[in-house]
Amino acid sequence: MDKSAEDASSQLGRTGGNSTNPVNIIDTKGGNDNEEELEYSLGDEELGSEEEQLEGDTQAPVQTSNQDAIEGDTLDAFKKKKRARKSEAWDDFEDVEVGPQKTIYSECRHCQSRFKKTKTGTTSSLLRHRKNCSKRLEKLKIVEARQQKLNFPVADSSSNAHSLLHTGKFDMAAMRQSAAEWVLMHEHPFSIVEEDGFNLMMKKGMPEWQKISQTINKKDCLSVYEREEQKLKHLLSKVKKISLTTDLWKSKNQKIEYMAITGHWIDTQWRLQKRVLNFVHVPPPRPGIAIVDAIYKCMLDWGIETKLYTVSVDNASNNDTALRCLKDTFSRNKCLLAKGKLFHVRCCAHILNLMVQDGLSEIQEIIHDIRASVEFVKKTKGRQLIFGEIVHQLRLPEKVLIYDCKTRWNSTYEMLACAIKFYEVFPRFKDREPNYTFCPSTEDWEKVKKVCSILGVFWNATHIISGSDYPTANLYLNEVCRIKTLLDSKANDEDNFIQLMVWKMKMKFDKYWGECNLMMSIAAILDPRLKMRVINYCFPLIYPPHEVQANINKVRQALYDLYAEYVEVHVSSSRDSGASCQIVTNDPVSKSSSSSSSTMTHVTGMCEFLSHITTVEPVQQEKNELDIYFEDGLFTATEKSSLDIVNLDALKWWKNTTKYKILP
């Protein structure tokens, strides 16, 4: 602001902003920075006369502080605020005053080069210097070398996410590893990395890309496998108890029969973990001893032969033989809890499947007609259009038929449940299609409705106990009880075919669940919502009256025996920690006699006495934790109203509780 503008401002302030002289505010813009300057212009004659008036007015009253504030606000009303600097040059430059004249220069923050500020405020020269400043470029290279970039993986990716940070530099070794993981993940052939289209795509996105041969890709895949194997071994070394699941499968393409072995355990954070441990080729006839050898070899390879808790298998006879042999082997080494009573676990979902298959055998002809009807309609586009027109005429909400997989009963149930909704459509479709000859009758549809009302309970139970994202063992007993109640209620149904179907199901139920299932019962008791109340409720519905109390006592005794084993383990671990009781002293004599250490460790007489006491008189709790658990009552929604009691995760409850030390 020049001298005339300053004088004008002072004059304007003295007159309180009430002058009638014209005031022109000139906004000058220049360059990329859009710097602004305010200039106040007054007529020369008015300015001179005003100065003469002020000089002659020697008796002007003194203004108060309040008046000064008012005048300052009045003056600010005539000023415009400067706009923010938007040029990139100001990231590396700042204004400095130089010399007695206080000339304003723009100084580089890196090399301290100065540029005189122009009236227009242009930043072109600053931007040129910023682009070529050697010190700035050196610092930028160092920052880029140290700073890592954030990588955002796909949100629905089910694979283990790699590090979210990377340097931003191309790394061919990392790309080879990623290519190997991609091939393994999607089961691509090794030769896919040699295809021209794949290499053209990679080369276009990354010019540094180098072609990979299938031989190198195969070696990389083996390296990935070995690395993941070592990770899993390290993880399993920290596991205390692990349960196994085995099942036999057959490859469709290669026609190879193999057995999959999966490990299940709870980690230190009380989360369910599951890993596929091995695929073993077991050629027919697959005797029980071959299954035993495969399972035991797998456990030796992973170092978990002393950590086995349970093994879940389907109900084939060769699996029964294999589990008996395994139980005898581990019982000799006393590696099994509860003396092996919980070792053999029969697959609950497989038992339900066997029961339903026996029941569906009574209506195979009806199922065949409905399956053929669905296949006939969905075979051609024209038939689908005719079927859809009839559906539209009847104003039905459903639109699509479902075709089933013959080997999966739940898929067959879904097909039947969907077809029932179109039972009025099929007779009308028959009138329009003369080749359609297997339309179910009205009686057939009534039978299907009654069958589906029974199968719906099995379908719900299968979905509940087959979950993989939450613990399921504590849910088995209630679902089994519900199925038993249903079968008992339908055993004397007025329809003979329902009676025959239900009696077949009851025979299969009694074969596998006629005896008390300890694993199912203990898991339910350890659910804080159920405890012993679930046994007192379910057992009278599942077992005959003369067996109820005996089975309740059997479960209670097995639970106390299992708890006693955990107490013994807890006491032995406490004994080991007590035996190593030591104190650290800062002894001046020790300091003078030893130049390498300022502290020494000593086992005191008190430690020896306490170690002796723990061996002869182990400290017992005032009350058994198991009894305290039963006396506390059920965990209900009234204790925490915000918690969904129906979907309670029992593992999270045990993780968060601090009342019990041994029971979890």
Side-chain angles (χ1 to χ4, degrees):
M1 185 180 297
D2 56 14
K3 187 69 171 59
S4 61
E6 293 178 358
D7 294 339
S9 297
S10 62
Q11 294 290 344
L12 183 61
R14 292 180 182 179
T15 58
N18 296 324
S19 174
T20 57
N21 298 325
V23 179
N24 298 327
I25 302 176
I26 304 174
D27 181 7
T28 59
K29 303 178 182 179
N32 298 327
D33 190 37
N34 298 328
E35 293 286 333
E36 295 177 315
E37 296 181 0
L38 300 178
E39 297 182 0
Y40 298 88
S41 176
L42 296 173
D44 295 336
E45 297 177 357
E46 288 82 353
L47 180 60
S49 61
E50 186 71 13
E51 288 178 349
E52 292 175 357
Q53 292 175 7
L54 292 176
E55 289 174 358
D57 190 6
T58 57
Q59 302 296 328
V62 179
Q63 300 292 332
T64 63
S65 60
N66 291 336
Q67 290 173 337
D68 291 339
I70 295 173
E71 292 174 357
D73 294 340
T74 305
L75 183 60
D76 290 341
F78 288 91
K79 294 182 179 180
K80 290 183 64 178
K81 293 183 178 180
K82 293 183 179 181
R83 285 191 288 180
R85 294 173 169 178
K86 298 181 180 180
S87 176
E88 295 179 354
W90 300 115
D91 295 338
D92 300 284
F93 283 86
E94 60 183 353
D95 290 342
V96 295
E97 294 179 351
V98 180
Q101 301 298 329
K102 295 185 178 181
T103 307
I104 298 178
Y105 287 85
S106 298
E107 183 179 84
C108 177
R109 291 190 174 99
H110 307 287
C111 64
Q112 285 71 47
S113 298
R114 293 175 180 174
F115 297 84
K116 190 173 182 180
K117 199 166 184 180
T118 62
K119 291 184 178 181
T120 58
T122 57
T123 58
S124 301
S125 58
L126 306 184
L127 290 172
R128 285 193 296 269
H129 175 79
R130 179 177 180 269
K131 184 177 180 181
N132 301 317
C133 181
S134 58
K135 291 188 176 182
R136 174 183 173 274
L137 295 177
E138 289 178 2
K139 292 180 181 179
L140 189 61
K141 289 181 180 179
I142 295 174
V143 171
E144 289 180 350
R146 292 179 179 177
Q147 186 178 9
Q148 292 182 325
K149 297 180 181 180
L150 187 62
N151 179 31
F152 294 94
V154 181
D156 59 351
S157 176
S158 59
S159 60
N160 295 330
H162 295 286
S163 174
L164 299 181
L165 297 176
H166 63 88
T167 61
K169 295 182 179 180
F170 179 81
D171 188 350
M172 189 60 202
M175 292 303 300
R176 281 176 49 185
Q177 177 181 335
S178 298
E181 293 172 350
W182 169 62
V183 168
L184 292 172
M185 184 185 301
H186 299 286
E187 300 181 3
H188 291 309
F190 298 127
S191 59
I192 194 173
V193 296
E194 294 183 345
E195 293 182 355
D196 294 336
F198 172 78
N199 283 280
L200 286 173
M201 176 185 66
M202 302 302 288
K203 195 75 174 178
K204 190 170 184 178
M206 296 167 288
E208 302 90 346
W209 171 263
Q210 300 173 9
K211 189 174 181 179
I212 306 173
S213 66
Q214 60 177 327
T215 304
I216 294 177
N217 184 247
K218 182 178 179 180
K219 292 181 180 179
D220 292 341
C221 290
L222 291 175
S223 299
V224 171
Y225 171 79
E226 293 171 356
R227 184 195 64 209
E228 295 297 327
E229 183 182 27
Q230 293 301 319
K231 285 184 182 179
L232 184 54
K233 282 186 177 181
H234 178 70
L235 183 62
L236 292 176
S237 65
K238 302 178 181 179
V239 175
K240 294 181 178 180
K241 287 293 180 181
I242 187 171
S243 297
L244 299 182
T245 300
T246 67
D247 204 355
L248 293 170
W249 302 88
K250 185 175 182 179
S251 174
K252 291 183 178 181
N253 297 330
Q254 298 175 333
K255 306 299 181 182
I256 298 177
E257 297 180 356
Y258 60 92
M259 179 174 66
I261 303 176
T262 308
H264 307 261
W265 72 92
I266 300 173
D267 63 13
T268 56
Q269 300 298 322
W270 289 83
R271 296 173 300 189
L272 285 174
Q273 298 289 345
K274 179 180 68 173
R275 299 291 189 278
V276 177
L277 301 180
N278 209 347
F279 291 99
V280 185
H281 175 52
V282 183
R286 296 181 295 278
I289 193 64
I291 297 176
V292 171
D293 293 340
I295 295 176
Y296 196 80
K297 184 178 183 302
C298 177
M299 290 189 293
L300 288 177
D301 293 340
W302 293 104
I304 56 175
E305 64 276 7
T306 61
K307 304 177 180 181
L308 189 60
Y309 187 27
T310 64
V311 180
S312 300
V313 293
D314 58 25
N315 300 281
S317 57
N318 53 357
N319 284 331
D320 294 341
T321 304
L323 267 293
R324 282 196 297 268
C325 294
L326 276 177
K327 183 179 178 180
D328 294 340
T329 301
F330 288 108
S331 297
R332 292 177 181 273
N333 300 326
K334 297 181 180 180
C335 297
L336 301 179
L337 290 173
K339 298 179 181 179
K341 295 178 182 178
L342 310 177
F343 180 69
H344 184 185
V345 179
R346 297 183 182 276
C347 179
C348 190
H350 187 256
I351 295 174
L352 294 179
N353 177 61
L354 295 177
M355 294 172 62
V356 173
Q357 293 294 355
D358 284 354
L360 291 178
S361 63
E362 293 298 319
I363 57 169
Q364 279 299 325
E365 294 181 358
I366 300 176
I367 294 176
H368 175 268
D369 289 342
I370 294 177
R371 182 181 293 120
S373 299
V374 173
E375 185 178 5
F376 183 85
V377 172
K378 296 176 72 69
K379 194 170 184 178
T380 64
K381 189 69 173 179
R383 295 171 184 173
Q384 294 180 31
L385 292 175
I386 296 174
F387 193 88
E389 290 177 359
I390 301 173
V391 171
H392 182 70
Q393 292 174 5
L394 298 177
R395 299 183 180 277
L396 299 178
E398 301 296 329
K399 301 296 182 182
V400 182
L401 292 170
I402 299 176
Y403 193 71
D404 72 326
C405 176
K406 299 179 182 179
T407 58
R408 296 176 56 192
W409 77 266
N410 53 345
S411 176
T412 302
Y413 162 74
E414 292 170 359
M415 179 192 70
L416 296 177
C418 180
I420 289 175
K421 300 173 183 178
F422 298 98
Y423 75 95
E424 296 177 309
V425 179
F426 286 101
R428 292 172 173 80
F429 180 77
K430 181 181 179 181
D431 296 337
R432 292 167 173 79
E433 282 289 333
N435 295 327
Y436 177 48
T437 58
F438 27 79
C439 178
S441 63
T442 304
E443 295 179 357
D444 293 340
W445 286 116
E446 291 298 326
K447 289 182 178 181
V448 171
K449 289 180 181 179
K450 293 181 179 180
V451 170
C452 285
S453 66
I454 298 175
L455 296 185
V457 178
F458 285 83
W459 188 84
N460 289 330
T462 300
H463 275 263
I464 291 173
I465 67 179
S466 300
S468 59
D469 299 330
Y470 53 88
T472 57
N474 57 316
L475 307 177
Y476 290 172
L477 185 59
N478 284 324
E479 299 305 318
V480 170
C481 178
R482 183 166 177 245
I483 289 173
K484 183 63 164 58
T485 304
L486 173 69
L487 296 179
D488 290 341
S489 64
K490 297 292 183 179
N492 297 318
D493 193 88
E494 58 184 7
D495 293 327
N496 291 332
F497 83 96
I498 291 292
Q499 290 185 20
L500 293 175
M501 182 180 71
V502 169
W503 278 106
K504 283 188 175 183
M505 291 181 173
K506 284 175 63 68
M507 290 176 61
K508 196 70 71 175
F509 184 98
D510 294 337
K511 178 180 178 180
Y512 295 110
W513 288 325
E515 296 182 1
C516 181
N517 191 303
L518 292 179
M519 172 61 74
M520 188 185 302
S521 303
I522 292 175
I525 291 172
L526 293 179
D527 190 321
R529 300 166 296 179
L530 307 177
K531 300 186 178 181
M532 284 298 296
R533 276 75 159 180
V534 70
I535 302 297
N536 298 330
Y537 168 76
C538 291
F539 276 22
L541 300 175
I542 297 177
Y543 305 110
H546 62 279
E547 297 180 4
V548 172
Q549 191 58 45
N551 287 334
I552 292 176
N553 295 336
K554 182 180 179 181
V555 172
R556 180 181 289 271
Q557 186 60 44
L559 190 59
Y560 276 95
D561 292 343
L562 184 62
Y563 175 74
E565 294 186 31
Y566 276 95
V567 171
E568 183 179 353
V569 173
H570 179 76
V571 171
S572 62
S573 62
S574 301
R575 184 184 308 161
D576 294 338
S577 61
S580 60
C581 177
Q582 296 177 341
I583 63 172
V584 180
T585 60
N586 293 324
D587 190 356
V589 178
S590 302
K591 292 181 180 180
S592 61
S593 61
S594 176
S595 60
S596 60
S597 175
S598 61
T599 60
M600 291 187 65
T601 58
H602 299 280
V603 178
T604 65
M606 179 61 73
C607 289
E608 292 182 349
F609 172 75
L610 294 177
S611 299
H612 169 72
I613 287 298
T614 57
T615 58
V616 296
E617 296 183 11
V619 179
Q620 298 291 338
Q621 295 184 348
E622 295 181 359
K623 187 177 288 188
N624 190 309
E625 274 191 12
L626 195 56
D627 293 331
I628 296 174
Y629 174 72
F630 292 148
E631 292 175 0
D632 285 345
L634 301 180
F635 182 84
T636 59
T638 56
E639 298 179 25
K640 288 187 178 181
S641 58
S642 61
L643 183 65
D644 187 356
I645 195 68
V646 177
N647 299 321
L648 173 70
D649 190 334
L651 286 181
K652 290 183 179 179
W653 187 89
W654 282 106
K655 175 186 177 181
N656 296 326
T657 185
T658 57
K659 189 172 184 178
Y660 312 103
K661 296 181 179 180
I662 302 174
L663 195 57

